[in-house]
Amino acid sequence: MDNTIDLLEKEHMRADLPDFRAGDTVEVHVRIVEGDKERIQVFKGVVIRKRGSNTGASFTVRKISYEIGVERTFPLHSPSINEVRVISQGRVRRGRLYYLRTRFGKKARIKERQFA
């Protein structure tokens, strides 16, 4: 029974998304429909969490806009997401970065991951 559900879910999953994790800075290009017009809006920020698996997976991106923190949760395999670009990869030691909600300025910075 589980195999058939996994096979059905696999058909609806996207394979074109890059591999990213909490701490990475990403640009999410979202398709916005206003009336009969359609446009693409870019939401750039730090991934503070990634949760779920298969088609139920989602990720939350946080950015600072006019000195106010804005968080947005995106379904990972949604057709409304046009593209996800990884800008930089952060070096963090945990999977959920909720502590960034209380920090601002230099205290909220995340070091970039270095590859040897």
Side-chain angles (χ1 to χ4, degrees):
M1 180 83 177
D2 273 344
N3 273 345
T4 56
I5 292 172
D6 288 340
L7 290 173
L8 287 172
E9 283 187 345
K10 220 167 203 115
E11 292 175 10
H12 297 287
M13 290 171 63
R14 296 176 58 156
D16 62 335
L17 297 175
D19 187 37
F20 60 92
R21 56 192 212 185
D24 294 353
T25 303
V26 295
E27 273 184 357
V28 184
H29 297 248
V30 185
R31 203 173 289 123
I32 304 286
V33 178
E34 295 171 334
D36 58 341
K37 294 180 185 173
E38 187 177 302
R39 66 186 177 88
I40 294 194
Q41 185 179 45
V42 178
F43 193 89
K44 180 181 177 182
V46 177
V47 177
I48 62 168
R49 88 170 182 173
K50 208 172 165 187
R51 63 161 291 277
S53 61
N54 293 340
T55 56
S58 65
F59 62 101
T60 302
V61 180
R62 178 179 175 82
K63 74 173 184 175
I64 305 297
S65 179
Y66 298 102
E67 299 180 9
I68 295 175
V70 179
E71 290 182 11
R72 192 162 173 194
T73 302
F74 299 99
L76 189 62
H77 302 288
S78 172
S80 64
I81 293 179
N82 193 38
E83 180 184 3
V84 177
R85 280 193 196 142
V86 178
I87 304 300
S88 67
Q89 296 180 328
R91 194 190 70 156
V92 293
R93 295 172 66 175
R94 42 190 99 238
R96 305 277 197 267
L97 305 180
Y98 297 138
Y99 65 88
L100 290 177
R101 292 174 177 162
T102 59
R103 304 220 174 135
F104 53 90
K106 286 186 178 180
K107 293 179 276 187
R109 272 197 253 157
I110 295 174
K111 290 184 179 177
E112 195 165 341
R113 207 166 16 165
Q114 301 294 324
F115 297 100

